[in-house]
Amino acid sequence: MNMELVRENIVKVTPENFQAEVLESDRPVLVCFYAAWDQPCRMQQTALDSIADKHPEIKVCRLDVEEYTAFARQFGIMMIPTTIAFKDGKKVKRATGLRLEEVLLDMVK
């Protein structure tokens, strides 16, 4: 599966659109910091796709750490995948490594 084929219900975030897509979102947001070459990131994609498909009340986003290294560093990303949950523009929870769909969902509940 090519990681660059992002589904339309998963938003690719960049430093330019992060404020609008994540911090100003009117719903909870899960941001997965990933790299296309990383196997655990590829495996995490299945859970993210499922959440995006089944839970329209949650916005699912991805940020490529290879493309935006300095921006990812601002969030203290040391390992990938790292998923950060945001609510009302604030970081509420963080999970590093491969996580089950239920664990990711619990982060934004």
Side-chain angles (χ1 to χ4, degrees), residues 2-3 9 11 13 17 21 27-28 30 45 48 53 56-58 63 65 67 78-79 82-83 87 90 97-98 104 109:
N2 182 344
M3 289 288 286
N9 53 357
V11 179
V13 290
N17 71 358
E21 294 291 351
R27 51 192 171 141
L30 282 173
Q45 190 59 42
L48 294 170
D53 288 344
E57 74 280 8
I58 299 168
L63 187 133
V65 299
E67 198 171 345
M78 303 297 221
M79 288 178 54
T82 291
T83 305
K87 278 188 185 174
K90 295 176 180 56
L98 189 56
L104 295 174
K109 295 277 183 213

Side-chain angles (χ1 to χ4, degrees), residues 14-85:
T14 67
E16 291 75 33
N17 71 358
F18 194 87
Q19 178 81 27
E21 294 291 351
V22 178
L23 302 180
E24 295 173 1
S25 177
D26 57 356
R27 51 192 171 141
V29 184
L30 282 173
V31 180
C32 181
F33 293 81
Y34 78 101
W37 52 263
D38 185 68
Q39 190 60 35
C41 290
R42 291 173 189 243
M43 294 165 64
Q44 188 69 80
Q45 190 59 42
T46 305
L48 294 170
D49 288 342
S50 180
I51 292 169
D53 288 344
K54 296 187 221 166
H55 297 277
E57 74 280 8
I58 299 168
K59 184 186 276 192
V60 179
C61 301
R62 297 172 359 124
L63 187 133
D64 186 334
V65 299
E66 294 280 292
E67 198 171 345
Y68 304 109
T69 307
F71 191 71
R73 202 172 294 129
Q74 290 176 22
F75 290 90
I77 305 303
M78 303 297 221
M79 288 178 54
I80 51 172
T82 291
T83 305
I84 300 177

